[in-house]
Amino acid sequence: MSAKQVKKIVKEMLRRDPDAIVGKVKLKKGFHLTVIVRIGTLRFRIVLDSGASRNLISAKVAHFLRHAAETADAMGGLWEVENPPVCQTANAKDMTQPIKFLQTLELTMFGFDESRDSRFTQRKEYKERVDCGVVEGIADSIIIGAPTLRRWITEIWEANGGETLVTLK
């Protein structure tokens, strides 16, 4: 059966019953867009989440980073939030615990600048200070949300091998 014939059959099924199940599909495995950064001298994998409205950090990870000698230079203050918000999760009925504190930290990101000879690149580091809401029980250690990503990223694309790449500003 051709694609055109299938489309015609599906259209007719939906005309008769808009809630009709028209077939089965297998979904590919989903993924997070993650990058490796350095916080002080320790390397961390963080999640870049364009659907998140805020930067978040696990309460346990924030506590660890504040007390680790390797991250002391990268840690800013812990700020009390006067009006603690909650965040909605992907499930509309689920909310995070109230964000009572913000943790300031400095992330060192790794990138490459092209040299004059385009066959070679030079490693470059970018430092960014971010404020993250401290939340109990989040699934990822550190999540960077859309407001920060808009400042950082100019382009997201898929490379030939299926790898997701980003261009930092």
Side-chain angles (χ1 to χ4, degrees):
M1 190 177 302
S2 72
K4 192 173 181 177
Q5 290 170 319
V6 170
K7 187 175 178 181
K8 186 176 177 180
I9 292 169
V10 167
K11 190 173 181 178
E12 179 59 26
M13 287 175 69
L14 293 175
R15 186 187 65 74
R16 291 180 187 179
D17 179 5
D19 294 325
I21 297 172
V22 297
K24 292 184 178 184
V25 297
K26 283 191 177 187
L27 295 178
K28 294 180 181 178
K29 184 179 177 186
F31 66 94
H32 282 116
L33 178 57
T34 61
V35 295
I36 306 268
V37 299
R38 198 174 63 232
I39 302 172
T41 60
L42 297 180
R43 292 168 64 93
F44 270 81
R45 183 178 307 274
I46 65 171
V47 173
L48 306 182
D49 187 346
S50 62
S53 62
R54 300 179 185 278
N55 301 330
L56 300 174
I57 186 169
S58 155
K60 288 180 182 178
V61 171
H63 182 267
F64 168 78
L65 292 174
R66 284 194 303 274
H67 291 88
E70 299 90 345
T71 58
D73 291 342
M75 299 306 291
L78 182 65
W79 301 84
E80 186 174 3
V81 177
E82 293 179 356
N83 57 335
V86 294
C87 296
Q88 191 174 33
T89 67
N91 180 348
K93 295 178 183 178
D94 293 337
M95 303 298 273
T96 65
Q97 294 294 316
I99 299 172
K100 297 178 182 175
F101 299 97
L102 282 183
Q103 176 68 63
T104 301
L105 54 124
E106 183 178 75
L107 305 177
T108 302
M109 295 174 283
F110 310 105
F112 296 93
D113 278 346
E114 286 190 19
S115 66
R116 290 185 186 141
D117 183 341
S118 62
R119 295 174 296 165
F120 301 101
T121 56
Q122 292 181 325
R123 187 178 177 104
K124 185 170 183 173
E125 293 184 352
Y126 304 89
K127 292 186 185 283
E128 290 284 341
R129 285 193 91 65
V130 295
D131 292 323
C132 294
V134 179
V135 179
E136 293 281 346
I138 61 173
D140 299 296
S141 298
I142 299 173
I143 299 170
I144 301 300
T148 301
L149 294 178
R150 281 196 305 261
R151 289 194 327 264
W152 287 4
I153 295 175
T154 59
E155 186 177 23
I156 299 176
W157 76 97
E158 185 177 335
N160 290 339
E163 183 179 24
T164 301
L165 302 173
V166 297
T167 301
L168 300 173
K169 291 183 180 179

